[in-house]
Short mmCIF file of all heavy atoms in Angstrom, two decimals:
data_model
loop_
_atom_site.label_atom_id
_atom_site.label_comp_id
_atom_site.label_asym_id
_atom_site.label_seq_id
_atom_site.Cartn_x
_atom_site.Cartn_y
_atom_site.Cartn_z
N VAL A 1 119.62 115.81 34.63
CA VAL A 1 118.62 116.39 35.54
C VAL A 1 119.20 117.35 36.57
O VAL A 1 118.45 117.94 37.36
CB VAL A 1 117.82 115.27 36.25
CG1 VAL A 1 116.91 114.55 35.27
CG2 VAL A 1 118.74 114.30 36.95
N TYR A 2 120.52 117.50 36.60
CA TYR A 2 121.17 118.49 37.47
C TYR A 2 122.11 119.31 36.58
O TYR A 2 122.91 118.74 35.84
CB TYR A 2 121.97 117.81 38.58
CG TYR A 2 121.14 116.99 39.54
CD1 TYR A 2 120.92 115.63 39.31
CD2 TYR A 2 120.56 117.56 40.67
CE1 TYR A 2 120.16 114.86 40.18
CE2 TYR A 2 119.79 116.80 41.54
CZ TYR A 2 119.60 115.46 41.29
OH TYR A 2 118.83 114.69 42.15
N ASN A 3 122.03 120.61 36.66
CA ASN A 3 122.78 121.46 35.75
C ASN A 3 124.29 121.32 35.97
O ASN A 3 124.79 121.61 37.05
CB ASN A 3 122.36 122.92 35.94
CG ASN A 3 122.94 123.83 34.87
OD1 ASN A 3 124.15 123.95 34.75
ND2 ASN A 3 122.08 124.46 34.10
N MET A 4 124.98 120.90 34.93
CA MET A 4 126.42 120.66 35.01
C MET A 4 127.20 121.60 34.10
O MET A 4 128.32 121.29 33.70
CB MET A 4 126.73 119.21 34.65
CG MET A 4 126.33 118.19 35.70
SD MET A 4 127.31 118.29 37.22
CE MET A 4 126.08 118.92 38.36
N THR A 5 126.63 122.74 33.74
CA THR A 5 127.37 123.71 32.94
C THR A 5 128.19 124.60 33.86
O THR A 5 127.92 124.72 35.05
CB THR A 5 126.41 124.58 32.11
OG1 THR A 5 125.48 125.23 32.98
CG2 THR A 5 125.65 123.75 31.10
N ASN A 6 129.19 125.23 33.31
CA ASN A 6 130.11 126.13 34.01
C ASN A 6 131.02 125.36 34.98
O ASN A 6 130.69 124.28 35.45
CB ASN A 6 129.36 127.24 34.74
CG ASN A 6 128.56 128.09 33.77
OD1 ASN A 6 128.97 128.30 32.63
ND2 ASN A 6 127.41 128.58 34.22
N SER A 7 132.16 125.96 35.25
CA SER A 7 133.19 125.28 36.03
C SER A 7 132.89 125.31 37.53
O SER A 7 132.11 126.12 38.01
CB SER A 7 134.55 125.92 35.77
OG SER A 7 134.53 127.29 36.14
N GLY A 8 133.54 124.40 38.24
CA GLY A 8 133.38 124.36 39.69
C GLY A 8 133.70 122.98 40.24
O GLY A 8 133.95 122.03 39.50
N ARG A 9 133.71 122.89 41.56
CA ARG A 9 133.95 121.63 42.25
C ARG A 9 132.60 121.03 42.62
O ARG A 9 131.82 121.66 43.33
CB ARG A 9 134.80 121.85 43.49
CG ARG A 9 135.18 120.58 44.25
CD ARG A 9 136.13 120.93 45.40
NE ARG A 9 136.41 119.79 46.26
CZ ARG A 9 137.30 118.85 45.99
NH1 ARG A 9 137.98 118.91 44.84
NH2 ARG A 9 137.52 117.84 46.82
N VAL A 10 132.33 119.82 42.15
CA VAL A 10 131.02 119.21 42.30
C VAL A 10 131.08 118.01 43.24
O VAL A 10 132.01 117.20 43.16
CB VAL A 10 130.46 118.77 40.92
CG1 VAL A 10 129.11 118.08 41.09
CG2 VAL A 10 130.34 119.96 39.99
N LYS A 11 130.09 117.94 44.10
CA LYS A 11 129.94 116.79 45.00
C LYS A 11 128.58 116.16 44.74
O LYS A 11 127.56 116.86 44.73
CB LYS A 11 130.06 117.22 46.46
CG LYS A 11 129.96 116.07 47.46
CD LYS A 11 130.16 116.58 48.89
CE LYS A 11 130.07 115.45 49.90
NZ LYS A 11 130.27 115.93 51.30
N VAL A 12 128.54 114.86 44.52
CA VAL A 12 127.30 114.14 44.25
C VAL A 12 127.19 112.97 45.21
O VAL A 12 128.10 112.13 45.29
CB VAL A 12 127.27 113.60 42.79
CG1 VAL A 12 125.96 112.87 42.53
CG2 VAL A 12 127.44 114.74 41.79
N ASN A 13 126.09 112.92 45.94
CA ASN A 13 125.89 111.84 46.89
C ASN A 13 124.45 111.34 46.82
O ASN A 13 123.54 112.10 46.49
CB ASN A 13 126.20 112.31 48.32
CG ASN A 13 126.60 111.17 49.25
OD1 ASN A 13 126.74 110.03 48.81
ND2 ASN A 13 126.79 111.49 50.51
N PHE A 14 124.24 110.08 47.13
CA PHE A 14 122.89 109.53 47.21
C PHE A 14 122.26 109.93 48.55
O PHE A 14 122.95 110.03 49.57
CB PHE A 14 122.96 108.00 47.10
CG PHE A 14 121.63 107.32 47.24
CD1 PHE A 14 120.65 107.48 46.26
CD2 PHE A 14 121.34 106.51 48.33
CE1 PHE A 14 119.42 106.85 46.37
CE2 PHE A 14 120.12 105.87 48.46
CZ PHE A 14 119.16 106.04 47.47
N LYS A 15 120.96 110.19 48.53
CA LYS A 15 120.24 110.50 49.76
C LYS A 15 119.83 109.18 50.41
O LYS A 15 118.90 108.52 49.94
CB LYS A 15 119.01 111.34 49.46
CG LYS A 15 119.31 112.71 48.85
CD LYS A 15 118.03 113.46 48.51
CE LYS A 15 118.33 114.84 47.92
NZ LYS A 15 117.08 115.56 47.55
N PRO A 16 120.48 108.77 51.49
CA PRO A 16 120.24 107.44 52.05
C PRO A 16 118.82 107.20 52.53
O PRO A 16 118.34 106.07 52.52
CB PRO A 16 121.24 107.37 53.22
CG PRO A 16 121.62 108.77 53.52
CD PRO A 16 121.53 109.51 52.23
N ASP A 17 118.12 108.28 52.92
CA ASP A 17 116.74 108.09 53.38
C ASP A 17 115.80 107.73 52.24
O ASP A 17 114.64 107.35 52.48
CB ASP A 17 116.24 109.35 54.09
CG ASP A 17 116.23 110.58 53.18
OD1 ASP A 17 117.22 110.76 52.43
OD2 ASP A 17 115.27 111.34 53.20
N LYS A 18 116.27 107.83 51.01
CA LYS A 18 115.43 107.48 49.86
C LYS A 18 115.38 105.97 49.60
O LYS A 18 114.50 105.49 48.89
CB LYS A 18 115.95 108.18 48.60
CG LYS A 18 115.83 109.69 48.60
CD LYS A 18 114.39 110.13 48.53
CE LYS A 18 114.26 111.63 48.38
NZ LYS A 18 112.84 112.05 48.35
N LEU A 19 116.33 105.23 50.16
CA LEU A 19 116.39 103.80 49.87
C LEU A 19 115.37 103.04 50.70
O LEU A 19 115.34 103.12 51.92
CB LEU A 19 117.78 103.25 50.16
CG LEU A 19 118.01 101.80 49.69
CD1 LEU A 19 118.01 101.73 48.18
CD2 LEU A 19 119.32 101.26 50.25
N VAL A 20 114.52 102.29 50.01
CA VAL A 20 113.52 101.44 50.67
C VAL A 20 113.91 99.99 50.43
O VAL A 20 114.13 99.57 49.29
CB VAL A 20 112.11 101.71 50.11
CG1 VAL A 20 111.09 100.74 50.70
CG2 VAL A 20 111.69 103.15 50.43
N TYR A 21 114.02 99.21 51.49
CA TYR A 21 114.39 97.81 51.37
C TYR A 21 113.45 96.95 52.22
O TYR A 21 112.87 97.41 53.20
CB TYR A 21 115.83 97.58 51.82
CG TYR A 21 116.09 97.98 53.25
CD1 TYR A 21 115.80 97.11 54.31
CD2 TYR A 21 116.62 99.23 53.55
CE1 TYR A 21 116.01 97.49 55.62
CE2 TYR A 21 116.83 99.61 54.87
CZ TYR A 21 116.53 98.74 55.90
OH TYR A 21 116.74 99.12 57.20
N LEU A 22 113.29 95.72 51.82
CA LEU A 22 112.51 94.74 52.56
C LEU A 22 113.38 93.51 52.78
O LEU A 22 114.16 93.13 51.90
CB LEU A 22 111.24 94.34 51.80
CG LEU A 22 110.24 95.45 51.47
CD1 LEU A 22 109.13 94.90 50.58
CD2 LEU A 22 109.66 96.05 52.73
N GLN A 23 113.24 92.89 53.93
CA GLN A 23 114.01 91.68 54.19
C GLN A 23 113.19 90.42 53.91
O GLN A 23 113.73 89.32 53.92
CB GLN A 23 114.52 91.70 55.63
CG GLN A 23 115.59 92.78 55.82
CD GLN A 23 116.05 92.88 57.26
OE1 GLN A 23 115.34 93.38 58.11
NE2 GLN A 23 117.25 92.41 57.52
N GLN A 24 111.91 90.62 53.64
CA GLN A 24 111.04 89.52 53.23
C GLN A 24 110.63 89.73 51.78
O GLN A 24 110.52 90.86 51.31
CB GLN A 24 109.79 89.45 54.13
CG GLN A 24 110.09 89.29 55.61
CD GLN A 24 110.82 87.99 55.93
OE1 GLN A 24 110.56 86.96 55.31
NE2 GLN A 24 111.74 88.04 56.89
N THR A 25 110.40 88.65 51.07
CA THR A 25 109.99 88.77 49.67
C THR A 25 108.68 89.54 49.56
O THR A 25 107.69 89.17 50.20
CB THR A 25 109.80 87.37 49.05
OG1 THR A 25 111.03 86.64 49.16
CG2 THR A 25 109.41 87.49 47.59
N PRO A 26 108.65 90.63 48.81
CA PRO A 26 107.41 91.41 48.70
C PRO A 26 106.35 90.67 47.88
O PRO A 26 106.65 90.05 46.86
CB PRO A 26 107.86 92.68 47.99
CG PRO A 26 109.07 92.28 47.21
CD PRO A 26 109.75 91.23 48.03
N THR A 27 105.14 90.73 48.35
CA THR A 27 103.99 90.21 47.62
C THR A 27 102.99 91.35 47.46
O THR A 27 103.07 92.36 48.17
CB THR A 27 103.31 89.06 48.38
OG1 THR A 27 102.77 89.57 49.62
CG2 THR A 27 104.31 87.94 48.67
N GLN A 28 102.05 91.18 46.56
CA GLN A 28 101.05 92.23 46.37
C GLN A 28 100.28 92.47 47.65
O GLN A 28 99.97 93.61 48.01
CB GLN A 28 100.10 91.85 45.23
CG GLN A 28 99.25 93.00 44.72
CD GLN A 28 100.10 94.12 44.12
OE1 GLN A 28 101.02 93.89 43.35
NE2 GLN A 28 99.81 95.36 44.51
N GLU A 29 99.99 91.37 48.39
CA GLU A 29 99.23 91.49 49.63
C GLU A 29 100.03 92.24 50.70
O GLU A 29 99.50 93.13 51.38
CB GLU A 29 98.86 90.10 50.15
CG GLU A 29 97.86 89.33 49.29
CD GLU A 29 98.47 88.82 47.99
OE1 GLU A 29 99.70 88.64 47.92
OE2 GLU A 29 97.69 88.63 47.02
N SER A 30 101.32 91.91 50.85
CA SER A 30 102.12 92.57 51.88
C SER A 30 102.34 94.05 51.56
O SER A 30 102.37 94.89 52.46
CB SER A 30 103.47 91.87 52.04
OG SER A 30 104.27 92.02 50.87
N LEU A 31 102.47 94.36 50.29
CA LEU A 31 102.67 95.76 49.91
C LEU A 31 101.40 96.57 50.09
O LEU A 31 101.46 97.78 50.37
CB LEU A 31 103.15 95.85 48.47
CG LEU A 31 104.55 95.28 48.19
CD1 LEU A 31 104.85 95.31 46.70
CD2 LEU A 31 105.61 96.05 48.97
N MET A 32 100.26 95.94 49.94
CA MET A 32 98.99 96.64 50.15
C MET A 32 98.75 96.90 51.64
O MET A 32 98.16 97.92 52.01
CB MET A 32 97.84 95.82 49.59
CG MET A 32 97.80 95.76 48.07
SD MET A 32 97.51 97.38 47.30
CE MET A 32 95.79 97.65 47.78
N SER A 33 99.23 95.99 52.49
CA SER A 33 98.98 96.13 53.92
C SER A 33 99.99 97.04 54.62
O SER A 33 99.72 97.56 55.69
CB SER A 33 99.00 94.75 54.60
OG SER A 33 100.28 94.16 54.48
N ALA A 34 101.16 97.24 54.02
CA ALA A 34 102.19 98.10 54.60
C ALA A 34 102.45 99.26 53.65
O ALA A 34 102.52 99.07 52.44
CB ALA A 34 103.47 97.32 54.84
N PRO A 35 102.58 100.48 54.17
CA PRO A 35 102.85 101.64 53.32
C PRO A 35 104.09 101.42 52.45
O PRO A 35 105.06 100.78 52.86
CB PRO A 35 103.08 102.77 54.33
CG PRO A 35 102.30 102.35 55.53
CD PRO A 35 102.44 100.85 55.58
N ALA A 36 104.05 101.98 51.28
CA ALA A 36 105.10 101.73 50.28
C ALA A 36 106.47 102.17 50.74
O ALA A 36 107.46 101.53 50.43
CB ALA A 36 104.74 102.45 48.99
N GLN A 37 106.55 103.26 51.46
CA GLN A 37 107.84 103.85 51.74
C GLN A 37 108.43 103.40 53.07
O GLN A 37 109.28 104.06 53.65
CB GLN A 37 107.72 105.38 51.71
CG GLN A 37 107.05 105.92 50.45
CD GLN A 37 107.74 105.50 49.17
OE1 GLN A 37 108.95 105.40 49.12
NE2 GLN A 37 107.00 105.24 48.14
N LYS A 38 107.95 102.26 53.60
CA LYS A 38 108.45 101.80 54.90
C LYS A 38 109.52 100.73 54.75
O LYS A 38 109.39 99.82 53.94
CB LYS A 38 107.29 101.25 55.74
CG LYS A 38 106.18 102.26 56.01
CD LYS A 38 106.69 103.43 56.79
CE LYS A 38 105.57 104.43 57.07
NZ LYS A 38 106.05 105.64 57.70
N LYS A 39 110.53 100.81 55.60
CA LYS A 39 111.52 99.73 55.70
C LYS A 39 111.01 98.75 56.75
O LYS A 39 110.45 99.16 57.76
CB LYS A 39 112.87 100.29 56.12
CG LYS A 39 113.41 101.37 55.17
CD LYS A 39 114.67 101.98 55.72
CE LYS A 39 115.24 103.04 54.79
NZ LYS A 39 114.41 104.21 54.66
N THR A 40 111.17 97.48 56.52
CA THR A 40 110.68 96.50 57.48
C THR A 40 111.78 95.54 57.88
O THR A 40 112.76 95.36 57.16
CB THR A 40 109.51 95.69 56.90
OG1 THR A 40 109.97 94.96 55.77
CG2 THR A 40 108.36 96.59 56.48
N GLY A 41 111.60 94.91 59.02
CA GLY A 41 112.57 93.93 59.48
C GLY A 41 113.67 94.58 60.29
O GLY A 41 113.57 95.71 60.77
N LYS A 42 114.75 93.83 60.51
CA LYS A 42 115.88 94.29 61.30
C LYS A 42 116.51 95.53 60.66
O LYS A 42 116.63 95.64 59.46
CB LYS A 42 116.91 93.17 61.41
CG LYS A 42 118.11 93.51 62.28
CD LYS A 42 119.06 92.32 62.33
CE LYS A 42 120.29 92.64 63.17
NZ LYS A 42 121.23 91.48 63.21
N SER A 43 116.91 96.47 61.49
CA SER A 43 117.46 97.71 60.99
C SER A 43 118.77 97.48 60.25
O SER A 43 119.66 96.76 60.71
CB SER A 43 117.70 98.68 62.16
OG SER A 43 118.26 99.87 61.70
N ILE A 44 118.87 98.11 59.10
CA ILE A 44 120.07 98.05 58.29
C ILE A 44 120.52 99.49 58.03
O ILE A 44 119.71 100.32 57.61
CB ILE A 44 119.82 97.33 56.95
CG1 ILE A 44 119.45 95.86 57.19
CG2 ILE A 44 121.04 97.42 56.04
CD1 ILE A 44 119.06 95.11 55.93
#
């Protein structure tokens, strides 16, 4: 999904803001009441 043809120096990193985590076990009810892309609980 990223063009890797031709020579060069490549750097690949994960975008940390993309990671969504929950500190409580997700349930259908809790996911419906809180937006999908929100982190909850103590900051990590």
Side-chain angles (χ1 to χ4, degrees):
V1 290
Y2 297 92
N3 190 299
M4 288 291 111
T5 57
N6 299 327
S7 60
R9 183 175 174 81
V10 178
K11 182 178 180 180
V12 181
N13 205 5
F14 177 67
K15 297 177 179 178
D17 61 317
K18 293 292 186 182
L19 188 68
V20 174
Y21 59 84
L22 300 174
Q23 291 176 287
Q24 302 297 324
T25 302
T27 65
Q28 194 62 46
E29 293 73 24
S30 67
L31 293 174
M32 289 296 290
S33 63
Q37 308 304 324
K38 301 298 181 186
K39 303 174 179 66
T40 63
K42 183 179 178 181
S43 179
I44 296 175

